[in-house]
């Protein structure tokens, strides 16, 4: 993974990432970082251009520099999934599934997502205090993906354990701990890969409406690519959604807006869009130049790596009024939290629906939902929190 520069870590005495972005947008919007040997790009217009210029910038990966996509690629070895493919190859890898992630199809999944939300909340029955990240924001999206992939209920715990191993981060950072986590991650990947290989073979020719059957029956993908697709859904759709949910509860508490959303004075969908902009779950993406390009007066050469700071673009005052303020009512809200161009997030509509259903049920189930913001420990560059302690009162008759 590309470590975000020290300066963006919000430790005491250091700049917050958002202060750093503001400084960079104003003073050095396209800059070469000698230490990381890559370009950093901060303004909306420039990020937008790079993401849409598939002739000059590739999503193929040749450097270990981005957690978001490197995990996906490690899993499938050298094999490409859509996230690291360029057009026209990209279209082959994504085309078979695009329709199933459009708003119409996503609406059909809503009852199943509602049922998953109820189950995850039922597991919290009787608790007056819980960690929102561990007890809700992590298990909820994993279970949704398991449901949509058609993972049998009795394998869900195993599935969750694999997912936990994939997202585990060292807590104390000792060499032994890092090695253990890497080994467990490797093992989880291998087991998952074996498991999906088996399911893809079993479901070939079947008529189920799950994503494994869909992949199994397409002529477009090789067997390994089908397995890669299943693993990509798990990797791309989980921590990101975990962070959106966490950042939503964090932002509502911080802004004192929880009750306004509960009463409907502020729409949930608008809140979700503003959280995506204001605390973007994916703060940065990476590309590699495949042609010489001039960008904002700087000469980027073929072979150069670039980091596109979505979190900075989403607070660019050229595009957003008062960008440093959390304002759910802003319209339009042209954030690029889901990226731009052909790689625009496949799961964007699903993630939005998951967040909407989750927020609705949380606010129905608890007539008080207080998040404790006294000891926040943000994670970058997939931006969220390690934990978010909450105190709740259960609504008398839901
Ligand atoms: C791509 C963000 C949820 C599946 C992306 C990209 C971003 C993103 C920024 C572009 C990557 C790039 O250009 O290199 C998010 C955020 C989410 C979220 C912020 C939640 C709030 C999901 C979910 C799924 C998903 C729930 C699937 C179930 C994908 C896939 C791609 C992708 C497959 C690759 C698309 C392509 O390369 O054509 N996502 N994502 N994402 N996302 Fe999401």
């Amino acid at each position: 993974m590309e470590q975000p520069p020290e300066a963006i870590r919000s430790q005491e005495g250091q700049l917050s990432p958002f202060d750093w972005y503001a400084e960079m947008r104003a003073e050095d919007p396209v800059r070469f970082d000698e230490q990381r040997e890559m370009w950093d790009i901060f303004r909306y217009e420039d990020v937008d251009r790079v993401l849409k210029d598939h002739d000059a910038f590739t999503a193929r990966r040749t450097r270990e520099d981005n957690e978001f996509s490197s995990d996906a690629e490690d899993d499938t070895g050298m094999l490409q999934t859509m996230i690291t493919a360029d057009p026209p190859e990209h279209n082959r890898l994504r085309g078979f599934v695009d329709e199933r992630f459009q708003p119409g199809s996503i609406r059909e999944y809503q009852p199943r997502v509602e049922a998953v939300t109820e189950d995850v909340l039922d597991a919290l029955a009787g608790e007056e205090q819980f960690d929102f990240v561990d007890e809700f924001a992590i298990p909820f999206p994993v279970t949704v993906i398991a449901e949509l992939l058609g993972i049998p209920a009795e394998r869900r715990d195993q599935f969750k354990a694999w997912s936990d191993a994939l997202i585990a981060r060292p807590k104390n950072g000792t060499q032994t701990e890092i090695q253990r986590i890497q080994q467990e991650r490797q093992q989880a990947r291998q087991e998952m890969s074996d498991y999906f290989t088996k399911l893809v073979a079993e479901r070939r020719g079947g008529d189920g409406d799950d994503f494994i059957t869909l992949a199994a029956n397409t002529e477009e993908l090789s067997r390994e690519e089908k397995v890669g697709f299943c693993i990509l859904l798990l990797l791309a759709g989980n921590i990101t959604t975990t962070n959106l949910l966490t950042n939503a509860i964090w932002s509502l508490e911080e802004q004192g807006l929880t009750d306004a959303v509960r009463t409907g004075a502020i729409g949930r969908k608008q809140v979700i869009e503003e959280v995506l902009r204001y605390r973007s779950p994916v703060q940065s993406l990476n590309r590699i130049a495949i042609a010489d390009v001039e960008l904002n007066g700087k000469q980027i050469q073929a072979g150069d790596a670039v980091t596109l700071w979505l979190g900075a673009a989403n607070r660019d005052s050229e595009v957003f009024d008062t960008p440093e303020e959390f304002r759910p009512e802003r319209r339009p809200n042209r954030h690029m939290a889901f990226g731009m161009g052909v790689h625009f997030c496949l799961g964007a509509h699903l993630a939005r629906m998951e967040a909407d259903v989750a927020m609705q049920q949380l606010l129905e189930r608890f007539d008080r939902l207080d998040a404790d913001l006294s000891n926040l420990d943000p994670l970058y560059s997939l931006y969220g929190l390690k934990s978010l302690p909450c105190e709740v009162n259960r609504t008398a008759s839901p």
Side-chain angles (χ1 to χ4, degrees):
M1 163 196 175
E2 178 247 323
Q3 287 297 326
E6 283 295 321
I8 85 155
R9 302 204 198 138
S10 240
Q11 288 159 9
E12 222 162 314
Q14 290 187 333
L15 279 179
S16 92
F18 301 105
D19 293 341
W20 182 67
Y21 295 155
E23 192 181 312
M24 291 296 131
R25 268 191 318 263
E27 286 169 19
D28 210 0
V30 176
R31 66 146 207 181
F32 190 75
D33 180 350
E34 298 289 346
Q35 221 178 356
R36 287 153 55 242
E37 295 189 348
M38 61 199 307
W39 294 90
D40 287 310
I41 299 175
F42 298 94
R43 286 191 187 159
Y44 189 100
E45 194 187 346
D46 296 335
V47 172
D48 186 59
R49 179 175 158 205
V50 172
L51 285 176
K52 287 176 179 163
D53 190 345
H54 304 287
D55 294 328
F57 293 93
T58 177
R60 293 176 70 93
R61 298 186 41 74
T62 52
R63 290 166 52 128
E64 269 302 300
D65 50 12
N66 178 335
E67 173 174 27
F68 188 53
S69 39
S70 72
D71 270 359
E73 193 175 58
D74 286 351
D75 253 303
T76 49
M78 291 312 288
L79 190 74
Q80 259 187 15
T81 62
M82 66 181 90
I83 204 163
T84 51
D86 295 328
E89 177 75 343
H90 173 265
N91 192 38
R92 178 179 69 80
L93 294 166
R94 175 163 169 158
F96 79 100
V97 71
D98 236 351
E99 181 58 38
R100 295 284 286 273
F101 280 90
Q102 294 305 314
S105 306
I106 294 301
R107 264 194 299 278
E108 287 174 26
Y109 307 138
Q110 185 154 335
R112 289 154 73 185
V113 172
E114 285 168 355
V116 169
T117 319
E118 278 168 28
D119 285 351
V120 178
L121 284 174
D122 285 348
L124 289 171
E127 311 262 352
E128 285 176 4
Q129 294 179 333
F130 57 88
D131 181 41
F132 183 77
V133 178
D134 284 345
E135 314 260 347
F136 186 83
I138 291 180
F140 169 60
V142 181
T143 318
V144 170
I145 297 283
E147 167 73 25
L148 298 183
L149 282 165
I151 305 293
E154 66 274 13
R155 291 306 295 263
R156 297 265 169 99
D157 285 348
Q158 174 66 71
F159 195 69
K160 163 90 174 38
W162 285 330
S163 172
D164 288 347
L166 293 180
I167 64 171
R169 297 277 172 268
K171 286 205 164 57
N172 57 32
T174 61
Q175 208 48 37
T176 336
E177 194 201 17
I178 293 172
Q179 271 175 2
R180 180 182 54 78
I181 286 180
Q182 279 169 347
Q183 270 171 7
E184 286 173 4
R185 198 179 293 177
Q186 192 49 41
Q187 190 183 340
R189 284 174 175 169
Q190 190 55 53
E191 287 175 9
M192 262 176 52
S193 179
D194 295 346
Y195 179 63
F196 281 127
T197 304
K198 188 168 140 281
L199 285 189
V200 164
E202 281 171 10
R203 294 190 188 175
R204 206 175 147 77
D207 59 2
D209 70 347
D210 61 275
F211 290 136
I212 297 181
T213 305
L214 179 74
N217 285 337
T218 179
E219 301 294 324
E220 299 294 321
L221 268 56
S222 70
R223 203 178 48 153
E224 291 78 13
E225 286 167 346
K226 294 173 182 179
V227 173
F229 163 74
C230 296
I231 296 176
L232 174 64
L233 283 196
L234 180 68
L235 291 173
N238 280 342
I239 313 190
T240 46
T241 311
T242 295
N243 290 348
L244 171 59
L245 298 167
T246 306
N247 297 352
I249 297 301
W250 170 14
S251 304
L252 288 182
E253 178 75 37
E254 176 192 72
Q255 306 287 325
L257 293 177
T258 310
D259 284 332
V261 178
R262 190 193 301 283
T263 60
I266 300 178
R268 291 192 302 271
K269 291 189 169 58
Q270 283 172 280
V271 166
I272 293 162
E273 293 311 305
E274 185 64 346
V275 173
L276 283 162
R277 184 194 72 83
Y278 187 74
R279 293 205 159 103
S280 309
V282 178
Q283 289 282 306
S284 63
L285 295 174
N286 291 87
R287 293 291 187 267
I288 303 209
I290 44 176
D292 295 347
V293 188
E294 201 206 295
L295 196 67
N296 222 322
K298 299 284 176 67
Q299 199 59 48
I300 297 179
Q301 285 174 357
D304 288 354
V306 301
T307 299
L308 306 164
W309 290 96
L310 300 181
N314 282 340
R315 292 187 181 212
D316 188 337
S317 59
E318 294 287 319
V319 178
F320 303 98
D321 289 339
T322 56
E324 305 297 339
E325 288 174 22
F326 184 87
R327 285 180 36 212
E329 71 280 11
R330 68 174 73 241
R331 283 237 173 91
N333 189 344
R334 297 193 294 124
H335 66 74
M336 49 169 101
F338 290 118
M340 280 286 170
V342 301
H343 293 283
F344 181 84
C345 177
L346 178 72
H349 300 299
L350 174 63
R352 285 174 164 134
M353 185 264 275
E354 286 184 66
D356 188 39
V357 167
M359 210 183 278
Q360 179 184 20
Q361 288 203 21
L362 280 160
L363 294 177
E364 263 173 30
R365 187 97 42 138
F366 306 121
D367 59 17
R368 181 174 70 95
L369 173 61
D370 292 341
D372 177 0
L373 306 186
S374 60
N375 199 12
L376 298 180
D377 196 357
L379 295 165
Y380 301 102
S381 60
L382 292 177
Y383 183 45
L385 294 172
K386 274 197 188 131
S387 73
L388 183 60
C390 281
E391 272 191 20
V392 293
N393 280 352
R394 202 156 284 274
T395 307
S397 49

